[in-house]
Amino acid sequence: MANSKKHIVIVGGGFAGINFVRSLGSNDAYQVTLVDINNYNFFPPLIYQVATAFIDSSNISSPFRKMFKKHKNFAFHLGKLLQINSDDNTIETDTGLLHYDYLVLAVGTETNYFGMDNVKKNAFPMKNITDALAIRNKILVNLEEYIQRVDDPHRDAYLNIVVAGGGPSGVEISGMIAELSERIVRKEYPELAGLTPKIHLVDAAPVLLGPMSKVAQQEAKEVLEKLGVEITLNVAVKDYQNDLVVLSDGKEILTKTLIWTSGVIARELPGLPAEKFGRGRRVLVDQFNTVQGYNNIFAIGDICLQTTDAGFPNGHPQLAQVAMQQGTLLAKNIVAKDRQGSLKPFSYWDKGSMAVIARYKAVADLPKFSFKGWFAWLTWLLIHLIPIASFRNKWKLLGNWIWSFYSANSGLRLIIRSERKRDAKEVRTNIEG
Ligand SMILES: Cc1cc2nc3c(=O)[nH]c(=O)nc-3n(C[C@H](O)[C@H](O)[C@H](O)COP(=O)(O)OP(=O)(O)OC[C@H]3O[C@@H](n4cnc5c(N)ncnc54)[C@H](O)[C@@H]3O)c2cc1C
């Protein structure tokens, strides 16, 4: 690396990280190293479609090296951030030490189990591609096991699915599993004689899609109920062990599958002092996304809490658009700072929010109005195609969608597992774990 170049280490290649790298481009003044635990970027809003075998995981993921092959100053480092040493401007990863001039933190959030150890141990989170594939395997294995365990008195546990969390992710996966059951399970699993998985959607709030409009909340409830989803509101999941989900009203649901979409918490940033963190363990930043008290450490996206934006005095919602806009602006501000130019404070442009409830049914809240139904669904499809990484992936996804929505049968229902562990018990642990 040429000594004259400043070394920017960016940790996390999600929405915030890749938009930072894109915005910086091949700027000769910098050498950029992107650190990530995976070698690919993926698109979380469509994880639920991977989990329900509707689209392939490769449709929504792209390797970093491919994405940035034209960026002359780009390097990728596969590794996990372990420690930030601000005294000597280094970070430790599980695969080596890196020195930085500027450090950009963009590691996002992890699943929050609110201190419930049994839920953490036994539930299925839905945060990334690995989680989605585990859910896909689990749903498919459950069907096979239900068919085989004719004499098991607890057989229903294989057909019951509990989804915890009535936000967009919980609503979307519930709707999609219901569609999968209706359109595919009925046709391809004759041994079930018309039985299909029973989906229970549970949330502690009084409505589904809490932050969205009343139109959206009502539509979600109506559509899901029509699809046969049993919705339980004002009730929280309290425990999950021995195949029993225990609810705060005392009710218990027998199930092999609790899908946990109930909350997130910022990932830990070891090495930064405790007073640098605010609500949800988010690191406190100023209006330029500089971590408070430092001049060469920045944080963007879900990981940071910025209360300087007039419209968002309690911090921004943890959404893709916030992360993308912060990543883009931070790169420009770093360049401006080094050129003694003026910096622009971050101000979030809220373009609205959307959720898909079922095939041809979605809800959309734009800043000035809300709409629902077929048009909202089509708008959702188009809007979600735009940020998908790589031109090829956009076409692959579009093709996959056209086929899957038209045929209602994607043909992706593969249980993929290691051949090495053929012992039945081990296989079960392996694919369910
Ligand atoms: C299932 C799901 C659905 C969602 N749907 C929507 C939606 O419809 N609309 C919307 O606006 N938002 C949605 N979100 C939220 C949105 O995905 C986040 O707001 C956004 O991803 C935040 O971007 P980020 O770059 O801050 O973090 P992320 O996108 O989470 O990226 C973090 C990156 O850091 C890497 N990383 C993590 N830990 C480490 C470590 N220790 N060392 C190195 N690398 C690490 C990860 O591999 C990842 O690449 C959804 C989230 C989920 C989970």
Side-chain angles (χ1 to χ4, degrees), residues 10-19 34-48 64 77-82 91-94 105-111 126-128 131 168-170 172 261 264 267-270 300-304 317-324 326 348 352-356 380 384:
I10 163 127
V11 193
F15 283 112
I18 60 163
N19 279 281
L34 172 64
V35 180
D36 203 293
I37 42 180
N38 297 312
N39 75 332
Y40 57 85
N41 167 267
F42 66 97
F43 190 72
L46 291 175
I47 283 289
Y48 78 97
F64 295 120
H77 181 99
L78 182 69
K80 179 177 181 180
L81 174 69
L82 296 180
I91 60 162
E92 290 165 39
T93 74
D94 59 351
L105 300 166
V107 289
T109 55
E110 61 190 27
T111 304
M126 197 177 67
K127 264 298 271 171
N128 52 42
D131 295 341
S169 296
E172 286 171 340
T261 70
V264 292
R267 283 188 189 263
E268 288 185 63
L269 295 173
I300 46 179
D302 278 4
I303 189 79
C304 75
Q318 287 165 298
L319 292 174
Q321 276 299 330
V322 177
M324 291 162 85
Q326 284 183 337
Y348 173 43
S353 49
M354 310 186 80
V356 160
W380 180 95
H384 282 77

XYZ file of all heavy atoms in Angstrom, residues 10-19 34-48 64 77-82 91-94 105-111 126-128 131 168-170 172 261 264 267-270 300-304 317-324 326 348 352-356 380 384, ligand 1:
659
model
N -13.310 -0.457 6.759
C -14.755 -0.454 6.992
C -15.188 -1.849 7.417
O -14.909 -2.827 6.719
C -15.537 0.076 5.766
C -17.008 -0.306 5.847
C -15.008 -0.392 4.443
C -17.921 0.823 5.699
N -15.809 -1.924 8.567
C -16.201 -3.237 9.101
C -17.707 -3.407 8.912
O -18.503 -2.689 9.525
C -15.843 -3.384 10.592
C -15.978 -4.842 11.019
C -14.448 -2.884 10.886
N -18.085 -4.347 8.071
C -19.501 -4.629 7.800
C -19.885 -4.200 6.395
O -19.837 -3.024 6.053
N -20.263 -5.180 5.578
C -20.633 -4.900 4.186
C -22.120 -5.074 3.954
O -22.555 -5.705 2.990
N -22.927 -4.509 4.845
C -24.383 -4.490 4.642
C -24.765 -3.251 3.842
O -23.945 -2.696 3.100
N -25.999 -2.794 4.011
C -26.459 -1.623 3.251
C -25.548 -0.417 3.459
O -25.193 0.290 2.516
C -27.873 -1.236 3.684
C -28.937 -2.112 3.115
C -29.669 -2.960 3.936
C -29.230 -2.092 1.768
C -30.664 -3.767 3.425
C -30.224 -2.892 1.234
C -30.946 -3.738 2.076
N -25.185 -0.144 4.728
C -24.377 1.039 5.027
C -22.981 0.888 4.429
O -22.482 1.778 3.737
C -24.299 1.238 6.542
N -22.364 -0.271 4.678
C -20.987 -0.505 4.240
C -20.825 -0.441 2.736
O -19.926 0.234 2.227
N -21.702 -1.113 1.987
C -21.475 -1.138 0.528
C -21.792 0.223 -0.099
O -21.170 0.613 -1.074
C -22.216 -2.280 -0.209
C -23.711 -2.191 -0.035
C -21.691 -3.634 0.180
C -24.459 -3.047 -1.071
N -22.717 0.949 0.491
C -22.988 2.285 -0.057
C -21.852 3.252 0.254
O -21.565 4.154 -0.534
C -24.343 2.811 0.423
C -25.444 2.212 -0.420
O -25.694 2.646 -1.534
N -26.045 1.133 0.062
N -12.459 -3.669 3.246
C -13.756 -4.055 3.799
C -13.591 -5.363 4.566
O -13.083 -6.356 4.025
C -14.773 -4.234 2.669
C -16.130 -4.826 3.050
C -16.893 -3.901 4.003
C -16.981 -5.087 1.810
N -14.020 -5.343 5.831
C -13.943 -6.546 6.676
C -15.367 -7.058 6.886
O -16.260 -6.278 7.224
C -13.342 -6.195 8.061
C -13.265 -7.435 8.954
C -11.978 -5.548 7.923
N -15.585 -8.345 6.679
C -16.921 -8.898 6.953
C -16.776 -10.369 7.330
O -15.853 -11.046 6.871
C -17.853 -8.747 5.739
C -19.325 -8.788 6.142
O -19.801 -9.871 6.596
O -20.009 -7.758 6.014
N -17.732 -10.839 8.144
C -17.708 -12.256 8.532
C -18.125 -13.155 7.365
O -17.835 -14.342 7.357
C -18.618 -12.545 9.757
C -19.943 -11.796 9.651
C -17.932 -12.217 11.043
C -20.886 -12.036 10.800
N -18.830 -12.585 6.388
C -19.178 -13.335 5.178
C -18.419 -12.731 3.999
O -18.020 -11.573 4.044
C -20.679 -13.220 4.885
C -21.519 -13.845 5.988
O -21.248 -14.969 6.409
N -22.501 -13.120 6.479
N -18.294 -13.494 2.922
C -17.617 -12.919 1.754
C -18.629 -12.340 0.764
O -18.316 -12.071 -0.379
C -16.720 -13.969 1.070
C -17.517 -14.979 0.271
O -18.677 -15.254 0.600
N -16.922 -15.525 -0.762
N -19.845 -12.143 1.243
C -20.888 -11.638 0.341
C -21.809 -10.646 1.048
O -21.966 -10.675 2.271
C -21.722 -12.807 -0.215
C -22.363 -13.648 0.871
C -23.590 -13.299 1.432
C -21.734 -14.789 1.353
C -24.170 -14.059 2.438
C -22.295 -15.552 2.360
C -23.513 -15.182 2.896
O -24.075 -15.928 3.895
N -22.404 -9.803 0.238
C -23.484 -8.915 0.703
C -24.804 -9.612 0.408
O -24.910 -10.356 -0.570
C -23.389 -7.585 -0.071
C -24.629 -6.720 0.098
O -25.550 -6.785 -0.696
N -24.646 -5.937 1.145
N -25.788 -9.408 1.257
C -27.107 -9.973 0.973
C -28.182 -8.943 1.296
O -27.903 -7.902 1.886
C -27.334 -11.288 1.739
C -27.403 -11.103 3.228
C -28.629 -10.993 3.875
C -26.244 -11.031 3.985
C -28.697 -10.810 5.245
C -26.306 -10.844 5.365
C -27.534 -10.735 5.994
N -29.415 -9.260 0.908
C -30.507 -8.293 0.962
C -31.546 -8.762 1.994
O -32.443 -9.553 1.672
C -31.116 -8.215 -0.448
C -32.098 -7.105 -0.633
C -31.675 -5.783 -0.690
C -33.457 -7.370 -0.762
C -32.593 -4.747 -0.867
C -34.380 -6.350 -0.934
C -33.935 -5.031 -0.986
N -31.431 -8.307 3.254
C -32.306 -8.834 4.320
C -33.811 -8.754 4.038
O -34.542 -9.671 4.438
C -31.934 -7.998 5.551
C -30.557 -7.512 5.279
C -30.461 -7.334 3.789
N -34.329 -7.698 3.367
C -35.790 -7.657 3.184
C -36.376 -8.876 2.457
O -37.577 -9.124 2.561
C -36.010 -6.373 2.366
C -34.871 -5.490 2.764
C -33.710 -6.431 2.935
N -35.540 -9.635 1.729
C -36.103 -10.799 1.015
C -35.678 -12.142 1.620
O -35.931 -13.197 1.041
C -35.715 -10.738 -0.469
C -36.391 -9.607 -1.238
C -35.878 -9.537 -2.667
C -37.913 -9.771 -1.242
N -35.086 -12.081 2.803
C -34.678 -13.305 3.502
C -35.863 -14.263 3.674
O -35.737 -15.477 3.544
C -34.137 -12.902 4.910
C -32.734 -12.335 4.785
C -34.142 -14.045 5.896
C -31.711 -13.343 4.439
N -37.028 -13.702 3.952
C -38.183 -14.567 4.220
C -38.566 -15.379 2.981
O -39.112 -16.472 3.086
C -39.373 -13.734 4.747
C -40.124 -12.978 3.676
C -41.292 -13.484 3.120
C -39.653 -11.762 3.194
C -41.973 -12.807 2.129
C -40.323 -11.072 2.217
C -41.485 -11.593 1.677
O -42.138 -10.913 0.692
N -18.431 -9.806 -2.329
C -17.850 -8.455 -2.300
C -16.781 -8.277 -3.379
O -16.702 -7.239 -4.018
C -17.214 -8.176 -0.932
C -18.214 -8.133 0.187
C -18.118 -9.025 1.252
C -19.236 -7.191 0.200
C -19.027 -8.983 2.291
C -20.154 -7.150 1.243
C -20.047 -8.050 2.287
N -11.242 -8.315 3.377
C -10.639 -9.124 4.446
C -11.752 -9.925 5.126
O -12.610 -9.356 5.793
C -9.958 -8.185 5.460
C -9.284 -8.913 6.583
N -7.932 -9.168 6.613
C -9.779 -9.456 7.720
C -7.628 -9.824 7.716
N -8.734 -10.016 8.407
N -11.738 -11.232 4.923
C -12.740 -12.086 5.570
C -12.371 -12.252 7.038
O -11.292 -12.755 7.353
C -12.765 -13.457 4.877
C -13.793 -14.460 5.387
C -15.210 -14.040 5.055
C -13.523 -15.851 4.807
N -13.227 -11.810 7.920
C -12.900 -11.941 9.342
C -13.951 -11.285 10.208
O -14.809 -10.528 9.731
N -13.857 -11.586 11.486
C -14.830 -11.049 12.450
C -14.136 -10.029 13.343
O -13.055 -10.305 13.885
C -15.357 -12.222 13.287
C -16.340 -11.797 14.324
C -16.880 -13.003 15.073
C -17.900 -12.519 16.092
N -18.489 -13.533 16.880
N -14.750 -8.880 13.499
C -14.198 -7.848 14.381
C -14.216 -8.359 15.822
O -15.258 -8.778 16.329
C -15.051 -6.579 14.287
C -14.684 -5.464 15.269
C -13.342 -4.841 14.923
C -15.766 -4.400 15.308
N -13.038 -8.312 16.477
C -12.977 -8.764 17.868
C -12.701 -7.621 18.827
O -13.198 -7.604 19.945
C -11.877 -9.826 18.037
C -12.055 -11.142 17.285
C -10.887 -12.072 17.562
C -13.371 -11.823 17.676
N -7.488 -2.560 14.543
C -8.555 -3.464 14.974
C -8.027 -4.890 14.931
O -7.184 -5.226 14.095
C -9.844 -3.367 14.120
C -9.574 -3.707 12.648
C -10.525 -2.035 14.283
C -10.847 -4.052 11.888
N -8.522 -5.685 15.863
C -8.186 -7.109 15.844
C -9.375 -7.851 15.264
O -10.515 -7.607 15.660
C -7.930 -7.606 17.270
C -6.659 -7.057 17.877
C -6.613 -7.263 19.392
O -7.055 -8.334 19.869
O -6.152 -6.334 20.089
N -9.085 -8.743 14.338
C -10.133 -9.637 13.834
C -9.687 -11.061 14.136
O -8.528 -11.287 14.498
C -10.345 -9.490 12.307
O -9.241 -10.105 11.628
C -10.470 -8.034 11.892
N -10.594 -12.017 13.963
C -10.192 -13.412 14.228
C -9.246 -13.919 13.154
O -8.754 -15.047 13.242
C -11.422 -14.313 14.378
C -12.313 -14.313 13.147
O -12.087 -13.485 12.238
O -13.241 -15.132 13.086
N -17.463 1.844 11.232
C -18.135 0.690 11.826
C -19.544 0.571 11.250
O -20.331 1.529 11.321
C -18.190 0.859 13.345
C -16.810 0.981 14.001
C -16.924 1.486 15.440
C -16.081 -0.359 13.956
N -19.845 -0.579 10.668
C -21.161 -0.769 10.022
C -21.617 -2.212 10.201
O -22.088 -2.845 9.260
C -21.060 -0.406 8.540
N -21.487 -2.725 11.433
C -21.755 -4.156 11.657
C -23.223 -4.479 11.958
O -23.582 -5.643 12.159
C -20.859 -4.757 12.774
C -19.422 -4.879 12.305
C -20.932 -3.939 14.046
N -24.067 -3.448 11.997
C -25.508 -3.707 12.120
C -25.927 -4.293 13.465
O -25.311 -4.043 14.500
N -26.977 -5.112 13.402
C -27.588 -5.629 14.628
C -27.553 -7.156 14.659
O -27.258 -7.797 13.660
C -29.073 -5.203 14.707
O -29.720 -5.647 13.512
C -29.209 -3.692 14.852
N -27.897 -7.688 15.826
C -28.100 -9.138 15.932
C -29.459 -9.372 16.574
O -30.074 -8.439 17.106
C -26.971 -9.779 16.754
C -26.895 -9.259 18.176
C -25.630 -9.731 18.902
O -24.611 -10.005 18.252
O -25.684 -9.811 20.139
N -29.911 -10.617 16.553
C -31.224 -10.926 17.109
C -31.230 -10.689 18.617
O -30.289 -11.042 19.314
C -31.585 -12.396 16.804
O -31.513 -12.556 15.384
C -32.978 -12.738 17.281
N -34.241 -15.050 12.181
C -34.322 -14.838 10.727
C -33.596 -13.539 10.376
O -34.212 -12.526 10.086
C -35.794 -14.784 10.296
C -35.940 -14.982 8.796
S -37.640 -15.010 8.223
C -38.179 -13.361 8.525
N -32.263 -13.594 10.463
C -31.463 -12.386 10.258
C -30.612 -12.450 9.006
O -30.233 -11.433 8.458
C -30.504 -12.221 11.461
C -30.937 -11.319 12.569
C -31.126 -9.891 12.165
C -29.895 -9.018 12.267
N -30.061 -7.707 11.681
N -30.243 -13.646 8.598
C -29.304 -13.729 7.467
C -29.581 -14.989 6.636
O -30.508 -15.742 6.925
C -27.850 -13.708 7.982
C -27.631 -14.766 9.054
O -28.103 -15.892 8.929
N -26.926 -14.407 10.119
N -29.589 -18.312 8.508
C -30.839 -18.490 9.257
C -31.969 -18.922 8.319
O -32.766 -19.812 8.638
C -31.278 -17.171 9.914
C -30.308 -16.687 10.978
O -29.508 -17.491 11.468
O -30.367 -15.485 11.316
N -42.955 -6.242 10.072
C -42.955 -6.674 8.671
C -42.392 -8.076 8.465
O -42.985 -8.875 7.735
C -42.080 -5.614 7.981
C -42.190 -4.405 8.847
C -42.375 -4.904 10.247
N -41.287 -8.419 9.143
C -40.687 -9.742 8.900
C -41.620 -10.860 9.344
O -41.785 -11.862 8.639
C -39.368 -9.895 9.663
O -38.439 -8.975 9.191
N -42.252 -10.695 10.517
C -43.163 -11.714 11.030
C -44.390 -11.863 10.149
O -44.848 -12.985 9.871
N -44.594 -11.034 6.950
C -44.226 -11.550 5.632
C -43.980 -13.056 5.665
O -44.472 -13.782 4.801
C -42.985 -10.795 5.119
C -43.371 -9.394 4.671
C -42.191 -8.474 4.345
O -41.068 -8.734 4.793
O -42.409 -7.481 3.648
N -38.742 -13.287 15.203
C -38.488 -12.032 14.461
C -38.793 -10.851 15.383
O -39.149 -9.767 14.923
C -39.372 -11.933 13.191
O -40.740 -11.723 13.584
C -39.301 -13.167 12.328
N -34.220 -6.723 17.630
C -32.782 -6.715 17.359
C -32.077 -5.816 18.368
O -32.706 -4.953 19.001
C -32.466 -6.202 15.926
C -32.938 -7.173 14.874
C -33.022 -4.804 15.692
N -24.920 -4.857 17.441
C -23.819 -5.773 17.748
C -22.813 -5.087 18.660
O -22.689 -3.863 18.640
C -23.102 -6.187 16.458
C -23.880 -7.216 15.693
C -23.048 -7.723 14.538
N -23.852 -8.556 13.662
C -23.873 -9.886 13.720
N -23.148 -10.522 14.606
N -24.621 -10.570 12.878
N -22.096 -5.900 19.432
C -21.129 -5.303 20.364
C -19.932 -4.743 19.608
O -19.566 -5.248 18.543
C -20.659 -6.381 21.345
C -21.753 -6.742 22.331
C -21.285 -7.714 23.390
O -20.379 -7.348 24.155
O -21.822 -8.825 23.421
N -19.366 -3.685 20.157
C -18.156 -3.087 19.582
C -17.079 -3.076 20.672
O -16.839 -2.044 21.315
C -18.460 -1.661 19.096
C -19.449 -1.539 17.935
C -19.792 -0.090 17.650
C -18.868 -2.198 16.671
N -16.418 -4.234 20.895
C -15.465 -4.315 22.003
C -14.312 -3.328 21.811
O -13.783 -3.185 20.722
C -14.953 -5.755 21.938
C -15.885 -6.479 21.036
C -16.501 -5.483 20.124
N -22.087 3.917 11.031
C -23.214 4.164 10.127
C -24.189 2.981 10.160
O -23.815 1.850 10.470
C -22.734 4.399 8.662
C -21.679 3.342 8.247
C -22.192 5.808 8.488
C -21.174 3.493 6.812
N -25.441 3.296 9.828
C -26.453 2.241 9.735
C -27.039 1.876 11.091
O -27.021 2.666 12.044
N -27.522 0.659 11.173
C -28.244 0.177 12.367
C -27.438 0.285 13.653
O -28.003 0.364 14.744
C -28.596 -1.309 12.189
C -29.836 -1.512 11.359
O -30.385 -0.514 10.855
O -30.251 -2.680 11.219
N -26.131 0.234 13.538
C -25.262 0.197 14.732
C -25.232 1.531 15.469
O -24.906 1.599 16.647
C -23.819 -0.234 14.317
C -22.919 -0.511 15.521
C -23.115 0.801 13.471
C -23.135 -1.819 16.135
N -25.592 2.623 14.788
C -25.372 3.946 15.418
C -26.673 4.597 15.871
O -27.762 4.289 15.386
C -24.618 4.870 14.468
S -25.600 5.520 13.131
N -35.080 5.209 12.668
C -35.493 3.799 12.664
C -34.377 2.971 12.027
O -33.621 3.476 11.191
C -36.747 3.807 11.788
C -36.651 5.039 10.957
C -35.867 6.039 11.751
N -34.270 1.712 12.450
C -33.204 0.852 11.898
C -33.692 0.246 10.587
O -34.224 -0.863 10.549
C -32.798 -0.193 12.938
C -31.991 0.470 14.060
C -31.840 -0.381 15.288
O -32.847 -0.718 15.909
N -30.629 -0.715 15.673
N -33.511 1.030 9.534
C -34.009 0.661 8.214
C -32.917 0.784 7.157
O -31.951 1.546 7.320
C -35.171 1.577 7.810
C -36.467 1.431 8.602
C -37.474 2.494 8.182
C -37.068 0.034 8.405
N -33.151 0.056 6.053
C -32.172 0.031 4.971
C -31.883 1.431 4.419
O -30.727 1.778 4.175
C -32.696 -0.874 3.858
N -32.928 2.235 4.231
C -32.725 3.557 3.626
C -31.826 4.442 4.480
O -31.009 5.199 3.955
C -34.074 4.250 3.402
C -34.752 3.848 2.118
C -33.923 4.209 0.882
O -33.169 5.165 0.877
N -34.055 3.404 -0.147
N -31.985 4.372 5.805
C -31.138 5.175 6.696
C -29.683 4.746 6.497
O -28.783 5.575 6.319
C -31.543 4.982 8.178
C -30.617 5.762 9.094
C -32.990 5.399 8.400
N -29.466 3.427 6.521
C -28.108 2.891 6.393
C -27.480 3.300 5.055
O -26.320 3.725 4.991
C -28.148 1.364 6.528
N -28.264 3.180 3.980
C -27.737 3.512 2.654
C -27.375 4.995 2.572
O -26.300 5.370 2.093
C -28.797 3.183 1.580
C -29.031 1.705 1.418
S -30.579 1.341 0.576
C -30.073 1.453 -1.105
N -26.733 7.091 5.013
C -25.597 7.449 5.885
C -24.272 7.002 5.253
O -23.278 7.733 5.307
C -25.754 6.808 7.271
C -26.788 7.521 8.129
C -26.908 6.956 9.538
O -26.563 5.808 9.787
N -27.424 7.769 10.443
N -32.200 12.430 7.299
C -32.821 11.253 6.664
C -33.978 11.647 5.752
O -34.888 12.374 6.152
C -33.308 10.307 7.770
C -34.123 9.126 7.311
C -33.755 8.379 6.192
C -35.253 8.728 8.020
C -34.504 7.294 5.773
C -36.007 7.631 7.615
C -35.628 6.922 6.492
O -36.378 5.852 6.083
N -40.754 6.239 2.877
C -41.931 5.429 3.198
C -41.559 3.987 3.476
O -40.405 3.591 3.359
N -42.570 3.204 3.877
C -42.286 1.794 4.160
C -43.366 0.897 3.555
O -44.498 1.337 3.320
C -42.176 1.561 5.666
O -43.267 2.139 6.320
N -42.987 -0.360 3.334
C -43.903 -1.304 2.672
C -43.765 -2.684 3.309
O -42.743 -2.998 3.900
C -43.541 -1.443 1.189
C -43.371 -0.158 0.459
S -43.136 -0.438 -1.299
C -44.816 -0.694 -1.817
N -44.788 -3.491 3.140
C -44.681 -4.906 3.550
C -45.580 -5.734 2.642
O -46.668 -5.287 2.258
C -45.114 -5.073 5.006
N -45.084 -6.924 2.299
C -45.898 -7.847 1.503
C -46.594 -8.796 2.460
O -45.973 -9.315 3.385
C -45.014 -8.644 0.533
C -45.702 -9.904 0.079
C -44.707 -7.808 -0.681
N -44.015 -2.730 -4.641
C -43.046 -3.371 -3.737
C -42.010 -4.168 -4.541
O -40.817 -4.080 -4.289
C -43.809 -4.274 -2.763
C -42.962 -5.010 -1.777
C -42.656 -4.632 -0.509
C -42.301 -6.271 -1.980
N -41.848 -5.569 0.088
C -41.613 -6.577 -0.793
C -42.224 -7.156 -3.052
C -40.867 -7.733 -0.638
C -41.463 -8.320 -2.895
C -40.809 -8.588 -1.699
N -38.048 -3.244 -4.627
C -37.073 -4.171 -4.047
C -36.090 -4.714 -5.073
O -35.066 -5.282 -4.700
C -37.787 -5.301 -3.299
C -38.267 -4.857 -1.952
N -39.392 -4.087 -1.799
C -37.737 -5.005 -0.718
C -39.550 -3.812 -0.511
N -38.564 -4.349 0.160
C -35.408 -10.190 7.908
C -35.197 -8.703 7.784
C -36.025 -7.970 6.952
C -35.863 -6.595 6.828
N -36.700 -5.908 5.995
C -36.507 -4.583 5.823
C -37.310 -3.857 4.908
O -38.212 -4.413 4.262
N -37.061 -2.530 4.749
C -36.059 -1.907 5.448
O -35.860 -0.696 5.264
N -35.306 -2.558 6.329
C -35.488 -3.890 6.530
N -34.708 -4.566 7.419
C -33.706 -3.820 8.187
C -32.468 -3.584 7.319
O -32.049 -4.809 6.790
C -31.386 -2.948 8.169
O -31.834 -1.703 8.625
C -30.116 -2.779 7.355
O -29.647 -4.020 6.892
C -29.039 -2.083 8.167
O -27.892 -1.996 7.387
P -26.461 -2.043 8.074
O -25.482 -1.896 6.963
O -26.410 -1.096 9.201
O -26.350 -3.493 8.719
P -26.465 -4.899 8.023
O -27.146 -4.814 6.710
O -26.995 -5.808 9.060
O -24.942 -5.279 7.713
C -24.037 -5.612 8.714
C -22.856 -6.317 8.071
O -21.853 -6.499 9.059
C -21.335 -7.807 9.005
N -20.894 -8.123 10.366
C -21.646 -8.315 11.456
N -20.892 -8.520 12.539
C -19.604 -8.459 12.120
C -18.346 -8.583 12.761
N -18.244 -8.809 14.091
N -17.216 -8.466 12.028
C -17.298 -8.242 10.701
N -18.467 -8.096 10.034
C -19.587 -8.207 10.734
C -22.520 -8.649 8.535
O -22.079 -9.842 7.935
C -23.192 -7.699 7.532
O -22.648 -7.849 6.251
C -34.842 -5.943 7.557
C -33.998 -6.679 8.387
C -34.170 -8.045 8.496
C -33.237 -8.847 9.384
